[in-house]
Amino acid sequence: MQNNVLILDFGSQYTQLIARRVRELNVYCEIHPYNKVPKDLSFYGSLILSGSPYSVREVNSPRVNLSELLDKFPTLAICYGAQMIAQEQGGRVDSSNIREYGRANLIITADNSILFDGIDNNSQVWMSHSDTIKELPINSRLLASTIDVKNVAYSINDKTFCLQFHPEVYHTTHGKNILKNFLTKICKLEQSWTPDSFVNQTIAKLRSKIGNDKVILGLSGGVDSSVAAVLLQKAIGANLYCIFVNNGLLRKNEFDSVLEQYKEMDLNIKGVDYSNIFYSELKGVSDPEKKRKIIGRVFIESFDNEANKIQNVKWLAQGTIYPDVIESISATGGPSATIKSHHNVGGLPDFMKLKVIEPLKLLFKDEVRRVGASMSIDKNILGRHPFPGPGLAIRILGDIDENNVKMLQEVDHIFINGLKKEGLYDSIWQAGAILLPVKSVGVMGDERTYEKCVALRAVESTDGMTADWVDLPHKFLQDISNKIINRVKGINRVVYDISSKPPATIEWE
């Protein structure tokens, strides 16, 4: 057994939060779909079973071979996982007579429970289920209840621990401590997974996998591709060929400024301008998914063209990170719902004879930044807000043309520079402007105008999976609105987006 956690995903929207909390405790973990359990289980020293949108009472609900897994690992089963164990180990699960959603207070009933060691009685926990455990399984021990739910937590043989509530969400006050008790006191795992250890392990893996092959990497100016580039540079040196494509959809002056910054980092980089091709392919296209597909295709075709100018290239590196993978392929293949496609996820066309390597695909955004800091990457690069791979194309609702791009670039420039000037930029996860496909009547001087509207967006988040809108100072918004309307021809109205994710997404498309 090794110092790693296997998380089996049964389709819960919280599964990624489980992984985040485990990693925050400096323990490495991997999410795998319930129906694709790894064949080699010797890599893991602990098991966590996620929740699920399904009911264990359904005939076709997700199932795994519990007897094999529970015998092999110390196990933490959450919500659906706890109900599945109860039902299959001699207990009973029924539909709940009351709604068991939201906050509840934990009443610890067992003495000397390792799982709840140091946890305050009556501390807040978060419920989210419609079934309830009426009878505990054979040889189990009740650990905790709430006022409304008797069987909230139980254990079997002090090796399997089952929770009806969700310790991974922020609303469970001591959830992180509960997870820490499970990982360190029950599983005896070491908290040794750090940015430095990730860098060392990843460099060794890259060297072993790539050997003396040549790799091309598409740099975008963002945090993810920059960190991926430095990792690869440390692993294979001059065999890394970086290409920075100007797709015509970047921020104002970003192509020239970022290209110069990369050269100062001694990266082997070439800048190429394909903006006219992107504009041509996007002409008349307004559907957001079609935009993403076109941009992804042209991006890859551009790389194929540039790769053919370098002899014997074998690999295409990408800065794909975990949220990209999760949102595109439903938590690594589990039954969660797909939200949207990502331009750098989903493989390559048959004509492109390059293998893909993604050194960051199991990291969340904040983890990428910490890894970058451990390699001493410039904080101005690491501190950049996330920027969508398709660029401003998905911030222009409707058709894409060069005039609309330049208009939005000016609006974005005023907004982002204003945030930096007022010291607000670093406290925000992501900010940008959206050009709306509507016109409205306005008055400038004595003249009537009929011009476009832009929406400003600023959110705070830790990983992009959830996000809250930022309550920017009203005086700041007033000043930015005035500057945009006065300086950007064609704009006469500015609005501010106060939607959170969920139910909205960070980007509008």
Side-chain angles (χ1 to χ4, degrees), residues 20 53 57 62 67 139 141 180 197 220 275 286 301 308 310 322 356 369 374 385 404 409 418-419 425 458 480 492 496:
R20 283 195 48 77
R57 298 180 298 108
S67 58
N139 297 325
R141 176 191 181 205
K180 182 178 179 181
S197 69
S220 66
S275 55
S286 59
E301 290 172 354
N308 286 331
I310 307 169
Y322 217 7
V356 175
R369 287 196 171 101
S374 75
H385 288 178
N404 283 342
Q409 282 177 332
L419 291 171
Y425 184 85
I480 291 298
N492 72 351
Y496 187 57

Side-chain angles (χ1 to χ4, degrees), residues 116-141:
F116 295 130
D117 185 29
I119 306 302
D120 295 335
N121 210 2
N122 288 314
S123 63
Q124 180 178 286
V125 296
W126 186 259
M127 297 285 200
S128 182
H129 57 95
S130 57
D131 289 341
T132 191
I133 301 170
K134 284 294 186 181
E135 294 181 10
L136 293 178
I138 300 168
N139 297 325
S140 62
R141 176 191 181 205

Side-chain angles (χ1 to χ4, degrees), residues 39-51:
K39 292 181 180 179
D40 183 11
L41 295 176
S42 64
F43 181 69
Y44 309 99
S46 176
L47 173 67
I48 297 179
L49 305 179
S50 82

